[in-house]
Amino acid sequence: MKDKPLSQQAYTAIKHKILSKQFGEESYTSENSLVEELGMSRTPIREALYQLQNEGLVKIIPRKGVFIQKLSLKETRDNYDLRLAIESHAIKLVRDYLTEEHFAYLNAIIEKQKDLLAENNYQGWVKEDERFHRFFLELLDNTVFLDLADNIRQRVYFQPDPIYRNEYYCESTRQHQLLVEQLQKKAFSQAEETLTEHILRGKRNYV
């Protein structure tokens, strides 16, 4: 990370703090606070904040501070619908070109998810979940879709109640497996239904 420009280092650090909810309920910070916390000068921090503002993660109000932007209920629902549209479209475009090598890659992710759940390693499971869903977008090689999907996931990814986390992720893993099996059999209508249920399940639980 130290090899990156200071503004990029600041961007990565501040974005991590936002997405990991380190600002707590205050949803507020300031340039002065970030200068002290990150040990950087104002210039790279200011550049990072403008980039985050362009992404909709913060709002800079002169002489008042930096406010962490929270999505409204409608914005959250809209983002889930957008995610479904992007992923469904991507799968439709690549499904006829999926090879046994692709299916082996996806199945390896699913097996790893099962192993991680057996260890109650939920952070590891989430990383594999991201890898699974990004696969189709990467195969399509559409950078606009990839950027949109990454931004949506960062903003609205559903974190289930700790009591039901294992159960919830087990069902998600089962749906991953079902989706792959349906794509492999070229049962595309069923695969589309599975993907729709999979993503909208997160939407229902989130809202």
Side-chain angles (χ1 to χ4, degrees), residues 103 180-188:
F103 289 124
V180 171
E181 290 171 359
Q182 290 166 336
L183 289 171
Q184 199 161 12
K185 294 175 182 176
K186 299 191 181 299
F188 296 139

Side-chain angles (χ1 to χ4, degrees), residues 7 10 14 31 41-52 60:
S7 59
I14 299 168
E31 278 190 19
S41 64
R42 290 182 181 278
T43 300
I45 286 175
R46 189 169 293 160
E47 290 175 0
L49 288 172
Y50 281 124
Q51 185 175 349
L52 290 164
I60 303 168

Side-chain angles (χ1 to χ4, degrees), residues 6 57 117:
L6 282 177
L57 289 172
L117 286 177

Side-chain angles (χ1 to χ4, degrees), residues 80-112:
Y80 267 102
D81 291 340
L82 179 57
R83 179 187 167 192
L84 177 59
I86 290 170
E87 292 195 29
S88 295
H89 185 63
I91 285 181
K92 285 178 182 177
L93 292 178
V94 304
R95 64 192 185 187
D96 288 320
Y97 305 98
L98 295 173
T99 66
E100 289 305 314
E101 184 178 352
H102 294 143
F103 289 124
Y105 176 85
L106 291 167
N107 281 316
I109 293 175
I110 292 167
E111 290 306 311
K112 188 168 184 180

